[in-house]
């Protein structure tokens, strides 16, 4: 089925930031609001909360490497017990011009149900800096395992304070 997915509110705090952006370590938090249609199988109908560490390392003027780790407390719908999720991703970004960043990630996470396989995905991602604090982004998703969605994508905006 297709439709609107869950909305996510995300925040972060820089723990370590080397100038000029040579290495960054960020503590992140996310809350998933259950806005997806659970009757279509697009969501659980429950809130999820995530804590994570995100790191980035500039390796050349226009290239950045990423390694991120997350732990998600999964909300279980009535009658179902879902396992909390551990996840990591690795990837790189290329910045052809200051306003545009093109990224590619590999993502792995533990399954929500023990009998399922672990989700594994690749995700191309593009971000445009519309202003100093506002960014627009679009991404795609291609599942690599039986535990993943076959494909997906999205778009959004972020504002930094």
């Amino acid at each position: 089925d297709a439709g609107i997915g869950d909305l996510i509110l995300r925040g972060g705090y820089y723990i370590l930031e080397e100038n000029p952006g040579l290495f960054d370590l960020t503590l992140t938090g996310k809350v998933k609001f259950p806005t997806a249609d659970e009757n279509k199988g697009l969501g659980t109908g429950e809130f999820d909360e995530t804590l994570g560490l995100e790191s980035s390392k500039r390796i050349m003027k226009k290239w950045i490497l990423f390694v991120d780790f997350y732990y998600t407390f999964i909300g279980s719908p009535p009658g179902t017990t879902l396992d909390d999720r551990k996840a990591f991703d690795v990837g790189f970004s290329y910045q052809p011009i200051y306003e545009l960043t093109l990224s590619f990630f590999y993502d792995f996470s533990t399954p929500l149900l023990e009998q399922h396989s672990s989700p594994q995905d690749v995700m191309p991602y593009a971000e445009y800096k519309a202003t100093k604090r506002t960014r627009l982004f679009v991404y795609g998703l291609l599942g690599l395992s039986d535990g993943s969605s076959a494909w997906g994508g999205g778009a959004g905006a972020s504002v930094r304070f």
Side-chain angles (χ1 to χ4, degrees):
D1 279 326
I4 300 290
D6 293 319
L7 294 178
I8 297 173
L9 176 64
R10 178 186 185 281
Y13 177 77
Y14 285 105
I15 297 171
L16 177 64
E17 186 176 18
E18 285 184 0
N19 288 329
L22 295 176
F23 178 78
D24 294 331
L25 183 63
T26 306
L27 176 65
T28 62
K30 301 177 192 177
V31 176
K32 181 201 78 169
F33 292 87
T35 54
D37 188 341
E38 61 188 290
N39 296 320
K40 290 184 175 181
L42 299 175
T44 62
E46 302 294 326
F47 284 87
D48 297 342
E49 299 84 23
T50 301
L51 290 174
L53 282 174
E54 298 176 345
S55 64
S56 64
K57 174 68 177 164
R58 185 172 299 278
I59 56 171
M60 289 187 277
K61 184 177 180 179
K62 296 184 178 203
W63 291 90
I64 299 172
L65 292 178
F66 297 94
V67 178
D68 306 322
F69 298 94
Y70 304 98
Y71 189 93
T72 302
F73 301 91
I74 301 292
S76 295
T80 305
T81 302
L82 300 175
D83 294 336
D84 289 343
R85 175 170 276 174
K86 297 170 211 73
F88 80 91
D89 61 57
V90 295
F92 63 88
S93 288
Y94 174 68
Q95 194 172 21
I97 59 174
Y98 174 77
E99 295 85 6
L100 181 64
T101 302
L102 305 172
S103 303
F104 187 83
F105 293 94
Y106 166 78
D107 183 66
F108 174 90
S109 57
T110 57
L112 298 177
L113 297 168
E114 188 176 309
Q115 64 269 27
H116 290 181
S117 63
S118 295
Q120 298 179 59
D121 310 298
V122 291
M123 183 176 77
Y125 180 94
E127 180 179 271
Y128 180 75
K129 294 176 183 151
T131 69
K132 185 175 180 179
R133 296 183 348 189
T134 305
R135 290 160 169 68
L136 307 173
F137 60 88
V138 62
Y139 66 91
L141 180 126
L142 178 63
L144 300 177
S145 70
D146 290 338
S148 299
S149 298
W151 60 275
S158 67
V159 178
R160 297 179 185 216
F161 299 98

